[in-house]
């Protein structure tokens, strides 16, 4: 047994790793297959073979923020902007329910047109369809998060992006890491299922910093963790950056599974943008969630975070069939529950 194999065996049984052990695993690719296999076993033991499909509605690409990595950033003049009406959003939700989705994710830039009144109205109308609702609409006040929660939102996705304060504040100008942390604390206090995650491959990010990110997910006991490679967008200040690798993103995801065995971990769309079988490989390396796009028409293309986005010309019905077929092909099944985290006692 190599030293890395011993670290992996202990992580698989105790779900704990020290910072330097995570760094060693990330630095050395010789044990990747063992890491992915261990994460797959832990996934199977704790969350089983069912895969939760969350239907993703991208309802506005208008954003007041200016993140250097993101195509939706305020200063990107090359992007055709769109904002769906509340009726359109609810209509897409109804369609998604017909396709069988039990959870919907409402995602957008930080678009201030969606006031608390408008947002809570949309949440109430969609909640009446009998689905779990996840929001991913950025940084808000405690009162706003509270209003969404009271209207029926169940979960919230807010990636920390990176726990490195200098890198975070350099590439998210005007935003503060402390406020991001405050948001995650508020969401937890309000009883949301809390999702976070990070980008892999931001310039200046080190393996030590990624180890910090993984330990942060563990520290806040994240209910959901989305890890995705950073893919440089030609219309952003980071257009010439190298970007993240599929393999490193998978490794961070797999180590996260070892440390948070009962969390919901998606095979992220950006992984598939870098590798044609990206999501299926991720599902065999610790992931148990997929978020197929249920946005209709040209809005998919216009929600252009990064180049090479998958499914931009496909329909919600096509994606549903496509992903179901792929899931069956790897011997797994689609869950028909709302897929809340089932905490394993005594862990
Ligand atoms: N505005 C909200 C927020 O930032 O939390 C939600 C929407 S934002 C587009 C969702 C996620 O997209 C971000 O958390 C970020 O990690 C990811 N993202 C943005 N630009 C990206 C890029 N170039 N490559 C990969 N992921 C990217
Ligand atoms: Fe806006 Fe989110 Fe993109 Fe930042 S990552 S520019 S907050 S949509
Ligand atoms: Fe959209 Fe396969 S999931 S085409």
């Amino acid at each position: 047994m190599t030293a890395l194999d011993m670290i992996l065996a202990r992580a698989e049984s105790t779900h704990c790793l020290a910072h330097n052990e995570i760094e060693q695993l990330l630095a050395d690719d010789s044990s990747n297959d063992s890491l992915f296999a261990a994460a797959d076993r832990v996934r199977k033991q704790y969350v089983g073979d069912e895969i939760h499909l969350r239907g993703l509605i991208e309802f506005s690409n208008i954003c007041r923020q200016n993140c250097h990595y993101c195509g939706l950033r305020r200063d990107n003049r090359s992007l055709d902007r769109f904002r769906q009406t509340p009726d359109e959003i609810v209509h897409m939700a109804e369609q998604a329910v017909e396709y069988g989705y039990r959870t919907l994710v409402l995602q957008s830039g930080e678009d201030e047109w969606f006031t608390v009144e408008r947002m809570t109205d949309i949440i109430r109308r969609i909640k009446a369809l009998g689905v779990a609702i996840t929001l991913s609409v950025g940084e808000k006040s405690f009162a706003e998060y509270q209003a969404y929660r009271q209207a029926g939102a169940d979960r919230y996705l807010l990636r920390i992006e990176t726990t490195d304060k200098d890198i975070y504040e350099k590439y998210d100008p005007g935003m503060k890491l402390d406020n991001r942390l405050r948001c995650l604390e508020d969401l937890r206090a309000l009883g949301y299922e809390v999702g976070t995650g990070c980008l892999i491959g931001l310039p200046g990010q080190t393996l030590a910093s990624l180890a910090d990110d993984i330990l942060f997910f563990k520290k806040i006991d994240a209910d959901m963790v989305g890890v995705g490679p950073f893919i440089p967008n030609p219309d952003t200040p980071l257009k010439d950056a190298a970007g993240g690798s599929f393999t490193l993103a998978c490794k961070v995801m797999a180590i996260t599974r070892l440390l948070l065995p009962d969390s919901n971990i998606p095979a992220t769309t950006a992984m598939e943008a870098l590798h044609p079988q990206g999501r299926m490989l991720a599902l065999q390396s610790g992931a148990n969630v997929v978020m197929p796009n249920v946005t209709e028409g040209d809005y998919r293309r216009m929600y252009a975070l990064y180049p090479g986005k998958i499914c931009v010309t496909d329909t919600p019905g096509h994606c549903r069939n496509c992903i179901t077929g792929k899931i069956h092909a790897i011997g797994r099944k689609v869950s028909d529950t709302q897929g809340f985290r089932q905490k394993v006692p005594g862990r």
Side-chain angles (χ1 to χ4, degrees):
M1 237 191 188
T2 66
L4 284 185
D5 288 339
M6 278 158 68
I7 291 173
L8 277 176
R10 195 158 30 79
E12 190 173 342
S13 58
T14 64
H15 311 300
C16 289
L17 280 174
H19 189 277
N20 69 314
E21 294 172 329
I22 298 176
E23 258 191 277
Q24 283 177 58
L25 285 170
L26 292 176
D28 187 334
D29 281 336
S30 65
S31 291
N32 286 1
D33 288 346
S34 309
L35 165 62
F36 297 144
D40 196 44
R41 285 191 296 273
V42 170
R43 183 274 308 157
K44 189 176 177 70
Q45 183 187 346
Y46 282 84
V47 295
D49 279 339
E50 291 199 339
I51 291 169
H52 301 291
L53 296 184
R54 324 287 200 196
L56 175 66
I57 301 177
E58 298 163 332
F59 66 90
S60 166
N61 70 356
I62 296 169
C63 190
R64 66 176 172 154
Q65 303 290 7
N66 221 6
C67 307
H68 280 192
Y69 43 80
C70 177
L72 308 194
R73 65 195 304 270
R74 185 177 72 225
D75 287 351
N76 180 9
R77 309 259 176 264
S78 314
L79 185 68
D80 296 332
R81 302 282 173 171
F82 74 90
R83 173 187 289 138
Q84 291 183 32
T85 65
D87 284 350
E88 276 180 291
I89 299 168
V90 174
H91 175 70
M92 280 192 198
E94 287 164 352
Q95 297 288 110
V97 171
E98 281 187 22
Y99 285 119
Y101 290 99
R102 307 290 322 278
T103 296
L104 298 178
V105 182
L106 302 182
Q107 192 182 83
S108 69
E110 292 197 14
D111 181 352
E112 290 173 305
W113 187 87
F114 289 95
T115 57
V116 171
E117 291 68 31
R118 287 176 172 143
M119 210 54 220
T120 49
D121 180 55
I122 294 165
I123 294 167
R124 274 191 213 96
R125 291 169 66 190
I126 294 179
K127 194 68 188 169
L129 304 173
V131 287
I133 297 182
T134 306
L135 298 179
S136 175
V137 296
E139 297 186 6
K140 305 285 171 186
S141 67
F142 182 89
E144 288 170 296
Y145 288 143
Q146 186 172 39
Y148 301 160
R149 179 91 183 108
Q150 284 168 353
D154 303 281
R155 310 183 179 126
Y156 206 101
L157 302 179
L158 188 76
R159 285 183 177 175
I160 194 73
E161 315 292 4
T162 170
T163 53
D164 183 310
K165 188 174 163 63
D166 292 341
I167 296 178
Y168 183 86
E169 293 179 4
K170 182 171 176 190
Y171 295 129
D172 293 353
M175 299 170 84
K176 294 273 168 248
L177 186 68
D178 281 350
N179 194 49
R180 203 82 174 166
L181 294 168
R182 189 272 306 161
C183 289
L184 289 167
E185 279 166 23
D186 286 355
L187 292 164
R188 176 64 85 203
L190 286 162
Y192 282 91
E193 277 203 345
V194 177
T196 190
C198 63
L199 282 170
I200 308 297
L202 288 170
Q205 199 179 35
T206 59
L207 298 182
S209 159
L210 290 174
D212 287 338
D213 295 352
I214 295 169
L215 289 174
F216 170 75
F217 307 150
K218 172 91 173 164
K219 186 177 89 183
I220 69 164
D221 191 24
D223 300 306
M224 305 168 283
V225 182
V227 175
F230 156 55
I231 304 176
N233 182 321
D235 296 324
T236 63
L238 289 180
K239 59 177 187 289
D240 296 324
S245 84
F246 170 74
T247 302
L248 186 57
C250 255
K251 289 179 73 172
V252 171
M253 181 202 73
I255 297 170
T256 301
R257 168 61 72 201
L258 295 179
L259 298 197
L260 284 160
D262 56 14
S263 286
N264 283 320
I265 297 182
T268 55
T269 311
M271 287 181 173
E272 188 121 334
L274 291 190
H275 189 298
Q277 279 88 44
R279 288 176 302 176
M280 293 309 118
L281 291 171
L283 288 172
Q284 293 168 298
S285 308
N288 70 320
V289 172
V290 182
M291 295 165 61
N293 204 321
V294 297
T295 317
E296 310 238 15
D298 215 23
Y299 296 141
R300 286 180 179 223
R301 179 188 59 78
M302 294 161 79
Y303 198 82
L305 313 181
Y306 51 78
K309 187 183 174 199
I310 60 164
C311 306
V312 283
T313 57
D314 295 301
T315 62
H318 180 78
C319 287
R320 175 88 195 189
N321 288 336
C322 163
I323 203 72
T324 304
K326 288 182 178 186
I327 286 169
H328 291 162
I330 60 166
R332 306 269 280 279
K333 49 194 174 237
V334 174
S335 167
D336 60 7
T337 73
Q338 292 187 335
F340 283 89
R341 180 183 186 188
Q342 305 295 318
K343 280 212 188 196
V344 175
R347 196 192 43 77

